[in-house]
Amino acid sequence: MALAIDLSRRNIEARSGGPFGAVVFGPDHRVVAAGVNRVVPHTTSLAHAENMAYMLAQQRLQTPRLNDVLAPVTLASSSQPCCQCYGATIWAGIDRLLIGARAEDVMELTEFDEGPLPADWIGELERRGIAVRRDLLRDEARAVLRAYGESGGERY
């Protein structure tokens, strides 16, 4: 989680994207791929940190479903996945999802709209075999969001 949050902080310091970072880990906590928000620089709404990390991991492992070739696979995300990244998490082949800040933190501290999720979104993921842990280093993740929001950062 610390790496995902550090990436989110570095991304806003470099003004290269929004305040979000994500890391895909394989067994033994080895980094498979990392991503940061690149929506504005890549001119696509799909370039969220989680999607970037998934895409890079899928390309590296040459599979669209990561846990078909490597298990267990964990995604650490500096903030709770939005509705788009929630869907991608289901299909990417993730076994564990670790979350720093909550969606309500994102919407409180920035101008981002995280979109709708099922009322029991955690239960939905767990029914699909994805274990969820949240609030990991939440204060640190919130600090990055706060810094971004207070800086008047662009909506990446």
Side-chain angles (χ1 to χ4, degrees), residues 53-66 91-92:
Y54 292 149
M55 178 187 66
L56 293 168
Q58 291 161 340
Q59 289 173 347
R60 181 174 184 195
L61 298 177
Q62 292 296 290
T63 182
R65 189 146 181 90
L66 298 170
W91 302 116

Side-chain angles (χ1 to χ4, degrees), residues 67-135:
N67 60 7
D68 279 352
V69 299
L70 188 69
V73 177
T74 300
L75 178 81
S77 181
S78 63
S79 296
Q80 177 181 316
C82 68
C83 59
Q84 173 181 244
C85 297
Y86 171 82
T89 297
I90 291 171
W91 302 116
I94 300 300
D95 300 299
R96 289 181 55 200
L97 174 61
L98 308 178
I99 301 168
R102 293 182 179 210
E104 54 261 35
D105 300 330
V106 174
M107 293 186 290
E108 171 194 339
L109 299 168
T110 72
E111 294 186 13
F112 291 102
D113 176 359
E114 295 299 274
L117 290 177
D120 184 24
W121 64 272
I122 292 174
E124 288 293 332
L125 291 176
E126 290 179 342
R127 280 187 281 287
R128 293 169 183 271
I130 303 169
V132 178
R133 287 194 54 210
R134 57 185 193 160
D135 299 337

Side-chain angles (χ1 to χ4, degrees), residues 138-154:
R138 184 177 180 190
D139 290 340
E140 291 87 338
R142 281 178 53 88
V144 174
L145 295 169
R146 182 177 292 108
Y148 181 82
E150 290 175 353
S151 74
E154 292 184 46

